[in-house]
Amino acid sequence: MEVGIIGATGYSGLELIRLLKNHPQVTNIMLYSSSQSGETINRLYPHLQNEQWKPLKEIDLNKISAEIDVMFLATPPGVSAEWSGPLLEAGLSVIDLSGDLRLTDRGVYEKWYKRPSAKEGLIEQAIYGLSEWNKSTIKTAKLIANPGCFPTAALLALIPLIQAGAIERDSIVIDAKSGTSGAGKSPTSMTHFSETNENFKIYQVASHKHTPEIEQQLAKWGAQPPLSFQPHLVPMVRGIMATIYAKAAKPLSNEWLTDCYNSAYENAPFVRIKENGTFPATKHVFGSNYCDIGFCYDERTGRVIVASVIDNLMKGAAGQAVQNFNLMHGFDETAGLEAVPMYP
Amino acid sequence: MEVGIIGATGYSGLELIRLLKNHPQVTNIMLYSSSQSGETINRLYPHLQNEQWKPLKEIDLNKISAEIDVMFLATPPGVSAEWSGPLLEAGLSVIDLSGDLRLTDRGVYEKWYKRPSAKEGLIEQAIYGLSEWNKSTIKTAKLIANPGCFPTAALLALIPLIQAGAIERDSIVIDAKSGTSGAGKSPTSMTHFSETNENFKIYQVASHKHTPEIEQQLAKWGAQPPLSFQPHLVPMVRGIMATIYAKAAKPLSNEWLTDCYNSAYENAPFVRIKENGTFPATKHVFGSNYCDIGFCYDERTGRVIVASVIDNLMKGAAGQAVQNFNLMHGFDETAGLEAVPMYP
Amino acid sequence: MEVGIIGATGYSGLELIRLLKNHPQVTNIMLYSSSQSGETINRLYPHLQNEQWKPLKEIDLNKISAEIDVMFLATPPGVSAEWSGPLLEAGLSVIDLSGDLRLTDRGVYEKWYKRPSAKEGLIEQAIYGLSEWNKSTIKTAKLIANPGCFPTAALLALIPLIQAGAIERDSIVIDAKSGTSGAGKSPTSMTHFSETNENFKIYQVASHKHTPEIEQQLAKWGAQPPLSFQPHLVPMVRGIMATIYAKAAKPLSNEWLTDCYNSAYENAPFVRIKENGTFPATKHVFGSNYCDIGFCYDERTGRVIVASVIDNLMKGAAGQAVQNFNLMHGFDETAGLEAVPMYP
Amino acid sequence: MEVGIIGATGYSGLELIRLLKNHPQVTNIMLYSSSQSGETINRLYPHLQNEQWKPLKEIDLNKISAEIDVMFLATPPGVSAEWSGPLLEAGLSVIDLSGDLRLTDRGVYEKWYKRPSAKEGLIEQAIYGLSEWNKSTIKTAKLIANPGCFPTAALLALIPLIQAGAIERDSIVIDAKSGTSGAGKSPTSMTHFSETNENFKIYQVASHKHTPEIEQQLAKWGAQPPLSFQPHLVPMVRGIMATIYAKAAKPLSNEWLTDCYNSAYENAPFVRIKENGTFPATKHVFGSNYCDIGFCYDERTGRVIVASVIDNLMKGAAGQAVQNFNLMHGFDETAGLEAVPMYP
């Protein structure tokens, strides 16, 4: 199968290259760019030095279906809204890693993203690519809205509890922590080494655009918005932990929680449920597509506390995109994603 | 004034040395140790190389009152419970940085610390040294139970809200993040560089012993326990951020919160209230005794979100101990603590 | 092919597991341990959680040849000297990642390692596994002494220059920098996060035991010992850079150096020669088996400056061990080692 | 004494603020800027929040002598060349932290800095502010060229050896490692957290502009240029280590080296000579004005190896500037610089 990437020079794009390069079903990778056409990726990124890459090229919609079967979009806001439609019409499947097509309510998109939304017909076609929970629709999809990094960590932890009616729906607090790679490759003061190392920051207080994405998905499983979602920046490159607090709707136990999670994910190759009394750390999933989930019922407070970790560039972006690519094409769900986490 | 330190070779002890060395009212510092007597601190810690230090010496209760006026205890659990009484009897003032004397309910101590508590009379004598809120009692105290690092960050953020009746008392969630220096100088797997760098960990889930300390203090201001307090380990050395979530007890506003915090701390030289819409980062207080507090009223969820940062070895340990030392002896509250935060 | 690992719970052992788990020619991995037999690796290391592992077991020399074909030793000094002989006699091939069998002069070993050397016959059987330079002997070897991490980085950079007679042999200075994973998994003050982060240290000044290993190998290509080799500890986990300075034996040029390196490594899949004017960084090879080499002829000083980088756990340990495993068994040299470096 | 700073919003400028704010002889600090006049420093840098600062203002040469006595220039190349002359004429003393006035040979400046040099008369007036070695001329200077960060670390280590004729002058190799704060506050790819953390880089190979500064100074003490000076970037914020290699001109010993260094620096409050067999780490001087020097005579190679560490923003920039300020005005050499290094 031949695949293309738009946005290959960003961090999610680089991660797609890393995964697809060794994917057993991918025979060719084409890199597309309008602004950097003619450039070669291994000149921009020396870690790719000895790979043979054709230069980045502009998209020609008349020829694209002869070149590739699937296009991955690892692009800033707005690009997917513009290109997904024409690419679908050209006969390609599209996997969009951006946030353009995730929110079904266009007004919500415009409020949180502060920019015009994609046009109406397009959004309706997009399947939300949370692999573990939308598997059947993903398998037949032509257009995937790949989930955001924070929503992936939060939803995998919350859906089993919501589905079971185990928590009070207006009590959910998601305190999230991310490495800097989620902020992308553009140098800024926020991610300048001298001001980021030995520093822990809170950002976008009560205003992060992944909030409505989480709320929209949870609403499908019965939780009423709104909830509190709050991100922080950790002085590390990769990894997200979401620590989730919610009031139990009834007396629970750690055993009940263990059963709840194990049954929810018994057939999910990338979700690992921690044994009672043990908890995940981001490094346990570094470089892999795993989501590790640990939890505790705190009798004192009547709260469930859940910690969910992912590698934000993997399960939080490129890894899940490849997982969806596998599901869409009937490949083994883990194809190209078998790497053992790198530790230490 | 002549002062002594027990536990000078730990990180809080080293920080006391750093502060007291240049304190305008301190004329002599004596270092005491039973296990390392005869050793000199500058051999153990090369950063202190060219300071002139007498060897660590054992405590002789018969002579101690001739040597020093005040003893700082920067020691593991149990030491203060044993030594504070005799030192007080010998005529010294005592500032205890450990957790031995902070909890007034001995059963609570034994449950969370899993060890025998200090004996009854001693605990009653100890004044909880949260400088900003117990100033009048600290001024006349002979024995200070210096607050824990997490409680300091949490209480300075919460007391003004509790006092004003602004938040629902059973809705408080404190998600705390700390650098590694809080774990002390003993090498462990938890703090081994190879397993800590590029890693974010949750620990002591729903079971950290600073939980009852926070609850006990808040109860004095009207909040009923229990609350959720959850610490995490950040790959950095110094700094704590406590992110606090609580349901507003009535509709609030950012302006109201600004007034509430500004009036609570208008005479507090070490608490800095952020302007509306700005938030603190741990590096803003690095190496200083400041606590910076930012906040937001989130109308969508009806929650107040507060972020509070301190340097855990300063306002969270040695800095606040020196602040209390100043208050006890009528010195300028900021004496020896004027250092501008180090940035970057 | 079935393989075994002794020392699987150390960092090189973990890296072997990571590589061999997905190696196309490895059908089974057995983990051996005397001290931890009965324990399972995924309990010790949660990043391996959902892999199916049999418990660590003790070696039974009578049965071992029925269990595995090749044994990897990722062990502290002394273990290989004891076990390699019996394992060879039992009919296995052995790849030893320790330093026990690298030095052919037993007196030199005892002087630098400060312990008894392996017995004479064993050392003579061991082939030094610098894959790129000893390929033909490795292909028929039964016992490999896998090179040290620093020697690998230094030798790959120096041998082409020595071979060409391009540098003055008594002028070589190797200033090396390593991440902390090279120091292993045992927590120490040297690698305690609080004393390692935001710190750059020099260690084992003029006394590191990789010095004679580098000298012995260079002597084979014509350089007389002694040279200066000096390691430093970088606050990062993975990666080594060796910066090498040597006086040119005659006027050189950057073009000549480019030719020299390119021709030396034209058939070496894991050595990447930098274009003139560009230089490597450790992150360019993170998680991969590459060695990237950049260089410059400095006319002002008449010195050649070479910078060579590897991932110390990969090309500096487990990766090169697998490369040698491939060569010994006629597999594709890159089998199991195709991973693209992880960036960022 | 009233002082001014141009370039207060850069990292050296911030460090000057930190030091001068608590300097016992400084009664007022004025911050000057043309591009940011009207802005206040505590809005730009929240760590300075509760200090009272007048807005940044433009320089008015007609009024400046009524406002301040001394001007510190912590500015990019070219600014000092333009402003130092007029400020001197206005009657001020000037301490220039930039490289504009350090090189006495204007052609050398233009070759390495690739820009026009300061005009001739000005350079001749500037005294090179290496405090320990130019003390007598500094005391009467009106214009100080404050040394570069790398030259400070290198020269303090090398001058005693050169002066004693102990090393071969064409054998000097300086391998230097710096934290990122030396690269300044402007975000770049080179200092982007995601590409700097877990990465060790070499840069400006054989071409760093501190090379001629080191050579020029050593020439004064008898060493012939050229030498090799090579910087690297360490994933930490503060700190420089220079590891220096040189052939002994005659058989030496560690005892001789100890005497050599101790006698050279017996009256230098900020240079700390390590005991034989111990070596410095950058964290030993973190936040302080110390330079720690350790050394070894390696009999095997006949080389002296010296490791010299400083905090690049302190002894490598603002700290030494304040030290020179003290010397120029007859204050205690350590005034405002008494802070104990921060550890950990």
Side-chain angles (χ1 to χ4, degrees), chain D residues 71-100:
Chain D
M71 181 70 92
F72 291 88
L73 295 168
T75 46
V79 176
S80 167
E82 185 186 342
W83 282 95
S84 290
L87 291 167
L88 288 170
E89 281 162 35
L92 271 58
S93 298
V94 174
I95 299 175
D96 175 25
L97 281 72
S98 84
D100 280 7

Side-chain angles (χ1 to χ4, degrees), chain B residues 32 57-68 83 86-87 89-92:
Chain B
Y32 296 92
K57 60 181 289 190
E58 291 203 56
I59 295 174
D60 180 338
L61 286 170
N62 295 320
K63 300 184 183 167
I64 193 97
S65 69
E67 292 171 355
I68 57 171
W83 282 94
L87 290 167
E89 281 163 33
L92 271 58

Side-chain angles (χ1 to χ4, degrees), chain A residues 175 195 198 215 237 245 300, chain B residues 175 198 215 237 300 343:
Chain A
D175 187 285
E195 309 201 15
E198 277 287 303
E215 290 176 348
V237 177
Y245 306 84
R300 289 180 65 255
Chain B
D175 187 283
E198 277 288 304
E215 289 176 349
V237 178
R300 288 180 64 255
Y343 193 93

Side-chain angles (χ1 to χ4, degrees), chain A residues 38-54:
Chain A
E39 188 59 90
T40 49
I41 191 76
N42 42 348
R43 271 185 57 88
L44 296 170
Y45 285 104
H47 73 284
L48 297 173
Q49 183 183 336
N50 73 337
E51 311 291 340
Q52 299 299 322
W53 293 103
K54 303 187 198 87

Side-chain angles (χ1 to χ4, degrees), chain A residues 170 175 177 194-195 197-200 215 226 228 230 232 236-237 243 245 282-283 300 303 343-344, chain B residues 170 175 177 194-195 197-200 215 226 228 230 232 236-237 243 245 282-283 300 303 343-344:
Chain A
D170 68 344
D175 187 285
K177 301 87 174 173
S194 296
E195 309 201 15
N197 202 42
E198 277 287 303
N199 200 357
F200 185 88
E215 290 176 348
S228 288
Q230 184 53 54
H232 302 76
M236 65 182 186
V237 177
T243 312
Y245 306 84
T282 61
K283 209 176 179 79
R300 289 180 65 255
R303 284 198 185 87
Y343 192 93
Chain B
D170 68 344
D175 187 283
K177 301 89 176 174
S194 296
E195 309 200 16
N197 202 41
E198 277 288 304
N199 201 358
F200 186 89
E215 289 176 349
S228 288
Q230 184 52 55
H232 301 77
M236 64 182 187
V237 178
T243 312
Y245 305 84
T282 59
K283 210 176 178 78
R300 288 180 64 255
R303 282 198 186 89
Y343 193 93

Side-chain angles (χ1 to χ4, degrees), chain C residues 6 32 59-71 82-94 122 125 142:
Chain C
I6 308 179
Y32 296 93
I59 295 175
D60 180 339
L61 285 170
N62 295 320
K63 300 185 182 166
I64 193 99
S65 69
E67 293 171 353
I68 57 170
D69 306 295
V70 182
M71 182 70 92
E82 184 186 345
W83 282 93
S84 291
L87 290 167
L88 287 170
E89 281 164 34
L92 271 56
S93 298
V94 174
L122 189 63
Q125 291 178 63
K142 296 297 286 177

Side-chain angles (χ1 to χ4, degrees), chain D:
Chain D
M1 183 155 292
E2 299 184 292
V3 303
I5 303 172
I6 307 179
T9 64
Y11 289 162
S12 294
L14 285 179
E15 196 74 345
L16 283 170
I17 289 176
R18 187 172 76 86
L19 296 173
L20 295 169
K21 194 74 178 62
N22 290 322
H23 193 291
Q25 307 288 346
V26 172
T27 52
N28 188 26
I29 308 174
M30 303 288 291
L31 308 181
Y32 296 93
S33 172
S34 47
S35 62
Q36 296 185 293
S37 73
E39 188 60 88
T40 48
I41 191 76
N42 42 349
R43 271 184 58 89
L44 297 170
Y45 286 104
H47 73 284
L48 297 173
Q49 182 183 335
N50 74 336
E51 310 292 339
Q52 298 300 323
W53 293 103
K54 300 186 200 91
L56 295 165
K57 58 182 289 190
E58 291 203 58
I59 296 174
D60 180 339
L61 285 170
N62 294 320
K63 300 184 182 165
I64 192 97
S65 69
E67 292 171 354
I68 58 170
D69 306 296
V70 182
M71 181 70 92
F72 291 88
L73 295 168
T75 46
V79 176
S80 167
E82 185 186 342
W83 282 95
S84 290
L87 291 167
L88 288 170
E89 281 162 35
L92 271 58
S93 298
V94 174
I95 299 175
D96 175 25
L97 281 72
S98 84
D100 280 7
L101 308 176
R102 296 178 196 150
L103 296 177
T104 51
D105 183 325
R106 297 174 67 207
V108 169
Y109 179 93
E110 298 192 346
K111 178 181 159 204
W112 288 83
Y113 281 72
K114 301 188 197 317
R115 63 187 335 278
S117 80
K119 61 185 182 195
E120 209 170 332
L122 189 62
I123 295 172
E124 277 69 19
Q125 291 179 62
I127 299 299
Y128 190 72
L130 189 66
S131 317
E132 283 72 15
W133 291 96
N134 293 342
K135 196 169 287 189
S136 61
T137 50
I138 291 167
K139 283 181 176 173
T140 59
K142 296 296 287 177
L143 174 60
I144 296 286
N146 210 59
C149 52
F150 289 123
T152 296
L155 292 169
L156 292 175
L158 276 167
I159 291 175
L161 301 179
I162 296 293
Q163 204 183 23
I167 54 177
E168 290 185 17
R169 291 160 185 193
D170 68 344
S171 74
I172 301 171
V173 169
I174 305 167
D175 187 284
K177 300 89 175 172
S178 175
T180 60
S181 57
K185 72 166 178 172
S186 298
T188 63
S189 290
M190 179 75 173
T191 53
H192 190 47
F193 189 88
S194 296
E195 308 200 17
T196 304
N197 202 43
E198 275 289 302
N199 199 358
F200 186 88
K201 308 179 192 178
I202 188 171
Y203 67 100
Q204 292 183 22
V205 178
S207 61
H208 193 283
K209 57 188 192 288
H210 284 172
T211 311
E213 184 179 334
I214 300 169
E215 289 176 349
Q216 171 185 289
Q217 293 300 318
L218 287 186
K220 293 188 191 167
W221 305 95
Q224 309 297 21
L227 50 73
S228 287
F229 163 70
Q230 184 53 54
H232 303 76
L233 188 70
V234 183
M236 65 182 187
V237 177
R238 284 174 183 247
I240 280 176
M241 179 182 284
T243 313
I244 300 171
Y245 305 85
K247 285 274 184 189
K250 53 186 174 185
L252 299 176
S253 69
N254 287 328
E255 293 66 34
W256 185 90
L257 287 169
T258 300
D259 288 347
C260 173
Y261 279 109
N262 277 334
S263 63
Y265 294 114
E266 61 182 347
N267 296 316
F270 293 116
V271 181
R272 305 191 294 193
I273 304 306
K274 301 293 292 181
E275 262 185 67
N276 224 307
T278 68
F279 290 88
T282 60
K283 209 175 177 80
H284 295 167
V285 300
F286 190 91
S288 82
N289 200 46
Y290 291 119
C291 175
D292 284 7
I293 300 174
F295 43 81
C296 167
Y297 175 61
D298 180 16
E299 281 187 27
R300 288 180 65 256
T301 61
R303 284 198 184 88
V304 178
I305 303 174
V306 189
S308 167
V309 300
I310 58 171
D311 181 325
N312 55 301
L313 294 178
M314 288 291 297
K315 184 64 180 170
Q320 186 156 241
V322 171
Q323 188 180 358
N324 288 328
F325 166 77
N326 290 338
L327 293 173
M328 290 164 81
H329 298 93
F331 305 144
D332 187 332
E333 188 171 351
T334 63
L337 298 169
E338 300 90 346
V340 176
M342 198 172 299
Y343 193 93

